[in-house]
Amino acid sequence: QVQLVESGGGLVQDGGSLRLSCAASGRTFSRYAMGWFRQAPGKERQFLAHIIWSSGSTGYADSVKGRFSISSDHAKNTVYLQMNSLKPEDTAVYYCAAGAVGRSYDYWGQGTQVTVSS
């Protein structure tokens, strides 16, 4: 059974940084992409970044390019999202997801709350 467990969320001031972690278990992810998404109250879920597990290739939404960075640690089966220069509008629940490369994301974590105060 695939499990994705996010951690690292919390309260941070405007301009601060946080690093989110997503611990993955339950299968081999070598042919998977791992993604980070967020959803603010009353808004649709928004894609932020992805990383291809096997190659390390990454992609970002324009809204976070240059501020957020995704990375992975294969030994720990963990994906990270480093978030810098955080703004109040980054406040949301952040989710980790996994899916076969080129297909939809099939597995989702429970989410972790990030709140940026002004």
Side-chain angles (χ1 to χ4, degrees):
Q1 181 180 356
V2 174
Q3 272 198 315
L4 303 176
V5 180
E6 301 98 333
S7 61
L11 175 64
V12 65
Q13 289 189 331
D14 190 356
S17 298
L18 279 176
R19 188 178 78 157
L20 305 182
S21 300
C22 172
S25 63
R27 68 163 299 128
T28 301
F29 293 94
S30 58
R31 297 184 180 183
Y32 272 60
M34 309 294 290
W36 282 99
F37 295 75
R38 69 185 179 191
Q39 188 165 20
K43 295 188 177 181
E44 292 187 354
R45 187 169 57 199
Q46 177 189 15
F47 165 79
L48 300 175
H50 78 262
I51 186 166
I52 307 300
W53 194 263
S54 58
S55 67
S57 176
T58 60
Y60 296 90
D62 287 343
S63 59
V64 302
K65 202 174 291 184
R67 294 193 301 128
F68 291 9
S69 177
I70 189 170
S71 62
S72 61
D73 183 332
H74 289 193
K76 296 182 179 179
N77 247 26
T78 299
V79 176
Y80 302 98
L81 186 68
Q82 177 67 43
M83 306 187 294
N84 300 324
S85 303
L86 284 163
K87 310 171 185 178
E89 51 264 43
D90 292 317
T91 294
V93 178
Y94 283 68
Y95 297 93
C96 173
V101 175
R103 305 186 70 174
S104 62
Y105 288 94
D106 295 323
Y107 306 104
W108 294 83
Q110 83 288 350
T112 185
Q113 176 71 45
V114 171
T115 303
V116 184
S117 63
S118 57

